[in-house]
Amino acid sequence: MFRGASSLSLDAKGRLSIPSRHRSLLLSESEGRMICTVDLHQPCLLLYPLYEWEEVEFKLRQLSSMNPHERRVQRVLLGNAHETDMDKSGRILLPAPLRQHAGLEKSIMMVGQLNKFELWSEQQWQQQLAADIETELNGDFELTDRLKDFSL
């Protein structure tokens, strides 16, 4: 499980160094192979270990290519999916089009989301985090049945 947020820097070639606390799991479970794609709802990227991405692909195969909404989800996620391998130094390369989509420049945030990571520009992450907290404090959301039963 991936959790926590890490502040990272992109180098001039668009590489980021995976935090050491995640490297051994990524190496043992997916040999350092990862898939990066765009998020459908947020200005960030999604970074999956290969074994988790294969589950996403299985679900995408179940969608109909004849339904325009389902086809759009397939097109966006699969059309932007890029395989990247962790090098000996624990770095991965993020392709320029994906970096541009998410507005990633020098300072980025890598946020654990259980089975994947979100990659945000640091500024966008701070704005999103503040907006999410404000929404929760103000109660400006519809409480789903799953959230009604959720307690900390």
Side-chain angles (χ1 to χ4, degrees), residues 120-143:
W120 293 81
S121 78
E122 188 168 6
Q123 180 182 8
Q124 282 278 29
W125 168 249
Q126 295 303 327
Q127 291 171 356
Q128 185 65 51
L129 185 59
D132 289 345
I133 291 171
E134 183 177 337
T135 298
E136 288 295 319
L137 291 174
N138 294 335
D140 296 337
F141 58 92
E142 184 177 329
L143 200 59

Side-chain angles (χ1 to χ4, degrees), residues 3 13 15 22 27-28 31 39 47 57 59 62 70 72 74 80 87 104 118 121 130 143 148:
R3 63 180 77 82
K13 295 180 180 179
R15 296 176 299 191
H22 300 301
L27 287 169
S28 67
E31 299 175 347
D39 188 297
L47 183 64
E57 283 183 332
K59 293 175 185 176
Q62 308 309 307
E70 293 179 14
R72 185 172 42 251
Q74 290 171 325
N80 288 289
D87 69 13
L104 301 181
E118 292 178 343
S121 78
L143 200 59
K148 288 177 186 174

Side-chain angles (χ1 to χ4, degrees), residues 86-105:
M86 198 174 358
D87 69 13
K88 295 176 196 170
S89 300
R91 297 174 303 190
I92 60 168
L93 175 66
L94 299 177
L98 293 182
R99 292 192 317 264
Q100 183 179 16
H101 169 82
L104 301 181
E105 293 178 5

